[in-house]
Amino acid sequence: MSSVPVYLRSLLAVLLLVFLIISAPPGLVALFSLFRELSTAITTGAPHYGEALFFLLAAGHVGCLAASMSACFRLLNAPGNHWSLKGPMLLLATSMVWLVLLLLIPLSAYLETAGWQTSGVAVASLLLHAVGAASAHLMASACCLLGTQQAAMNNMNTKLAENDSALATRNQVLQDEIFVREEAERAFRKSYQRYRTLVQTAGSPIIAIDAAFRIQEWNTAAEQLFGFTREQVMGAQYIERCVPRAFQKQTQWKIRQVLETGVKVEHMENEMLGGDGAVKVIYWSISCVSGEPDNSVIIVGQDITSIRETQDKLHYLAHYDALTGAANRRLFEDRCTQAIRQMQRTSGSLCLLALDIDHFKQINDTLGHDVGDRLLQTIFTRMQENLRQEDTVARLGGDEFAILLTNVRSRKGCERVARTLLEAITHPISLPGREIVVTTSIGMTIAPDDGNTYQALLKNADMALYQSKESGRNTISFFNEHMQQRLMTRLTMEQSLREAVAEKRFELLYQPQFELNTFELIGVESLLRWRTPDGTLATPDMFLEAAEGSGLLQQMSEWILRHSVAAMLELEAATGRRKTLSVNLSSRQFLAPELPEQIATVIKQTGVDPSSIYLEINEQSLVNYAERSEKQLQRLRQLGICIALDSFGSGLTSFSVLHRWPIDAIKIDRKLLDGVPEDVNQSALLETLCAVSRQMDKIVMIEGIETEAQLIFLRRLGIHNAQGHLFAEPLAMDTLLHKLRTTSWLHPERFARQIGLPLDN
């Protein structure tokens, strides 16, 4: 069905309307005339076939008018793509025929009037019959055609409605699909923007490269790390541009592992020069991008510079001495163990040296710990300068050093190294504001001759070092078997001391002290003795060092103080007169921080007069630990007790230093009585010391009087206090109290008569 233009449809509609307008009036007039004639014919009973035919023609004319009006309406309202020209043209032709027939009606009336009725009717009938048949055929064809066209149009409208519904359904599907795609696109854009933000703001460098190592992605952190902007590196070769030469092969191999072998992730660590000029340690994670046809690789880095620095510091602190930089005990043991294994494989030798700075504690106490630290650093540097690179110097603690000499050839070679170290260390050391000279003691042991384990060698070197200190310091000693025996003896003694403390096998003896003018007992000196497992009494010089090494000294000090004070109070109660108590203290006992507290506790618990207690301190303690000693003396004097300087004259103490210390009494060393009074020089020295002491308002006590001649000489010098075997040996308190109660051997008259001395001066 062809489409008819709008202008043609409009033209045909106009023609039909014109036809209707023209044909309507005459048709209606003719129809009225036909009705009149028909009624006349019916009334008269003389029917005329012509009128009947005219009547039919008139009826047909009315039908034609109705069909024309319907066609006009359809022409005006039918869509262009559903309109056919054929039907309206037939309808128009039929209408024209009917118009001609209408024009024949007046013509037939005229013929009938003129006498042409029969012929006119016949002619008209013939014409009408022919034209009617043709018109009927045309009308039937037109109506059929119009009906067909209407049915086609109805069918078309149905299909159009169905198509419209299908199109609407498809349109809705398309709209839904478009909506879904738009939502997906918005989600993708949002995800992509989030990804871009995440990548660009990440604190770790993120780099994407293709299979040819060309850079495809470069975030802000990578710019800061490498110092290259995104525009500078996009498309450039990553390995050649960004990876240090030393790590290029490793990086390339790691990337190919991910690209070619199916390994999901590879890791590596390298150093690089950052954009800020600092060396960075970066830990890289290399992974393949899944779903990418071009085998892209994502490289994510993490700056672990601070972590590595912390690990290095921890490793350093775990293996090296923080002050000097020497190996610590842990590292030294490891290197010694490795050296011993190497020695056993090659049948070689090695030497272990133990080195200790002489009187280092005194230097620390007098000059300060800062000076002591500088001293240790200088000594370590000098040792390093005089050793081979493969040798190891370790600081084991305080001023104790150990040295490992590997691949040694002879004992003499080891001794030459030790001599070199001694000489290098004794060179003057410049310190802020002063210059000092220090000495060291060295103990040495050879492996495998002396042992083949680290513990054994270190123990042997310590024993040899101890021998060097006993030999006068600043010397070298090699380990031997006798040292081992001495060590075993010492260990045995320490164990026995622990048992003695637990079982209370210590005893106190008391040396009586007299006033020489009246020979009156004025006090006692408390002396510690140890009843050994074999039953003998050991003096402190036999076990004091072992007690200090075993950590039992402070327990023993408290026990001595408590029992000595209790014995003195018992002596005062027995005699009814005030007595003094002298207690000997070693250097370590005297400098112990807890000593003042121990004495204060004893004073509080016993109620003893503090001024009755004299603590005897060796002058070497004051000389070697001057600063600490002065502070400790001040704390002890605050308790109200008295301080006595023991063995005065045997050391190097000057009277100027003695003057500044809070000393109450001076105890002249027994060695100064040797040769008195026969030796004139010794007598003069003793007389001078006593005179100066009296001038300094110090109480003078003489110990070790053994002869009557010594007693007579001291009385002439004006010495008032003395003790010694001439008067009495050290006694247990029970024995001393028993003698006081049962004899008069301490009465002045009896004692004076025994030695032939007058009672006055």
Side-chain angles (χ1 to χ4, degrees), residues 546-558:
E548 291 179 350
S550 63
L552 300 172
L553 194 59
Q554 297 309 316
Q555 290 180 260
M556 296 167 59
S557 298
E558 184 177 2

Side-chain angles (χ1 to χ4, degrees), residues 86-315:
K86 186 176 181 181
M89 291 299 293
L90 289 175
L91 184 60
L92 182 60
T94 304
S95 300
M96 293 299 292
V97 172
W98 282 107
L99 182 60
V100 172
L101 290 176
L102 288 174
L103 292 176
L104 289 178
I105 293 173
L107 179 60
S108 63
Y110 173 75
L111 291 176
E112 183 178 0
T113 305
W116 292 70
Q117 180 175 9
T118 305
S119 57
V121 172
V123 172
S125 298
L126 182 61
L127 276 170
L128 287 175
H129 180 76
V131 172
S135 297
H137 178 73
L138 289 174
M139 182 63 70
S141 298
C143 292
C144 182
L145 191 57
L146 287 175
T148 303
Q149 184 177 1
Q150 181 65 35
M153 291 181 63
N154 292 337
N155 188 31
M156 183 63 65
N157 289 334
T158 302
K159 290 183 178 180
L160 287 175
E162 293 176 354
N163 290 338
D164 289 342
S165 177
L167 287 174
T169 303
R170 181 171 296 182
N171 184 43
Q172 185 63 40
V173 172
L174 290 175
Q175 289 180 355
D176 293 342
E177 185 176 352
I178 291 172
F179 176 78
V180 171
R181 291 189 178 184
E182 288 177 349
E183 288 295 320
E185 185 177 355
R186 281 194 293 270
F188 171 77
R189 286 197 299 267
K190 185 177 180 180
S191 177
Y192 177 75
Q193 186 62 36
R194 188 180 301 165
Y195 158 77
R196 291 292 305 167
T197 303
L198 179 63
V199 170
Q200 292 301 321
T201 60
S204 300
I206 301 176
I207 305 165
I209 64 173
D210 59 15
F213 307 134
R214 289 188 297 267
I215 298 174
Q216 296 177 326
E217 184 60 63
W218 188 267
N219 71 342
T220 305
E223 292 182 354
Q224 297 174 353
L225 175 65
F226 291 93
F228 301 133
T229 63
R230 176 184 174 89
E231 291 74 17
Q232 290 175 326
V233 298
M234 288 301 291
Q237 285 285 333
Y238 168 70
I239 294 180
E240 297 177 0
R241 186 72 176 272
C242 305
V243 181
R245 185 176 298 275
F247 299 96
Q248 286 184 355
K249 291 184 178 180
Q250 181 188 12
T251 304
Q252 185 175 4
W253 181 76
K254 291 285 186 180
I255 294 175
R256 292 203 178 279
Q257 283 286 105
V258 173
L259 289 174
E260 300 174 1
T261 63
V263 176
K264 293 184 179 180
V265 181
E266 281 285 354
H267 302 282
M268 64 172 294
E269 180 181 321
N270 65 4
E271 294 181 0
M272 57 170 293
L273 188 65
D276 55 358
V279 176
K280 306 286 186 180
V281 180
I282 309 297
Y283 182 78
W284 299 101
S285 296
I286 306 170
S287 58
C288 186
V289 180
S290 60
E292 290 287 340
D294 54 353
N295 291 330
S296 298
V297 172
I298 294 293
I299 303 175
V300 180
Q302 181 181 1
D303 186 354
I304 60 172
T305 305
S306 59
I307 297 176
R308 283 290 174 263
E309 289 176 352
T310 302
Q311 289 178 343
D312 292 341
K313 288 180 182 178
L314 292 175
H315 181 271

Side-chain angles (χ1 to χ4, degrees), residues 64 100 422:
C64 183
V100 172
L422 286 182

Side-chain angles (χ1 to χ4, degrees), residues 694-705:
R694 285 198 299 268
Q695 289 296 323
M696 297 180 67
D697 197 23
K698 308 293 183 183
I699 300 174
V700 179
M701 171 71 71
I702 301 294
E703 63 177 346
I705 299 178

